[in-house]
């Protein structure tokens, strides 16, 4: 079990930041693994009730995942980031933005998995 699942947020944050720093040095700023860690750090902030800190990280991760998919939305984590962005915006009471992100995530998931997928 990881620190986030155990709600040990203060233990998780420095480890995620260190991992992000190392991955950026080793792999560059636009690598899929960097986007994954960036998204995980943003999710930590969402769990902590810090949507203002999470939103820019989620946008950064989304941009990287979209680039990994050659400029399209075929990367499997694009819809995840969009959904998380919807949550961050909703928590900030930016409901119009939240709806837009949620609808885009739903569209991608329906296109990928079909409308009958649970």
């Amino acid at each position: 079990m990881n620190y986030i699942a155990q709600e040990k947020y203060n233990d998780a944050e420095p480890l995620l930041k260190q991992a992000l720093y190392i991955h950026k040095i080793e792999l560059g700023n636009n690598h899929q693994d960097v986007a994954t860690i960036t998204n995980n750090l943003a999710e930590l902030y969402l769990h902590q009730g810090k949507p203002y800190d999470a939103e820019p990280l989620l946008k950064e991760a989304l941009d990287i995942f979209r680039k990994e998919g050659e400029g399209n939305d075929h990367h499997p984590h694009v819809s995840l980031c969009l959904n998380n962005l919807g949550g961050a915006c909703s928590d900030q009471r930016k409901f119009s933005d939240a709806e837009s992100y949620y609808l885009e995530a739903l569209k991608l998931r329906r296109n990928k998995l079909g409308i009958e997928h649970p």
Side-chain angles (χ1 to χ4, degrees):
M1 187 179 302
N2 66 40
Y3 284 141
I4 296 174
Q6 295 174 7
E7 297 182 7
K8 294 181 178 180
Y9 304 134
N10 292 333
D11 294 328
E13 185 175 11
L15 295 175
L16 284 167
K17 286 182 174 181
Q18 181 180 18
L20 184 58
Y21 175 77
I22 292 168
H23 278 75
K24 282 185 175 184
I25 289 172
E26 294 296 319
L27 303 172
N29 291 335
N30 294 313
H31 192 276
Q32 175 181 340
D33 291 347
V34 169
T36 299
I37 297 168
T38 302
N39 180 74
N40 292 344
L41 181 58
E43 285 190 43
L44 169 70
Y45 291 147
L46 290 174
H47 284 286
Q48 292 177 305
K50 299 177 181 177
Y52 295 98
D53 294 332
E55 185 180 5
L57 293 173
L58 290 166
K59 288 179 178 179
E60 180 182 337
L62 179 62
D63 287 342
I64 296 168
F65 284 132
R66 283 188 162 151
K67 288 176 189 172
E68 284 290 312
E70 298 176 13
N72 57 43
D73 291 325
H74 289 88
H75 193 286
H77 294 342
V78 168
S79 63
L80 173 68
C81 279
L82 288 166
N83 189 69
N84 290 342
L85 269 166
C89 289
S90 180
D91 289 349
Q92 296 174 65
R93 306 189 61 74
K94 298 187 323 189
F95 300 120
S96 179
D97 291 343
E99 180 182 33
S100 176
Y101 288 126
Y102 283 139
L103 288 173
E104 188 177 354
L106 181 61
K107 178 183 173 185
L108 291 175
R109 288 180 182 168
R110 281 184 175 160
N111 287 342
K112 179 76 174 172
L113 302 172
I115 60 172
E116 299 298 322
H117 192 278

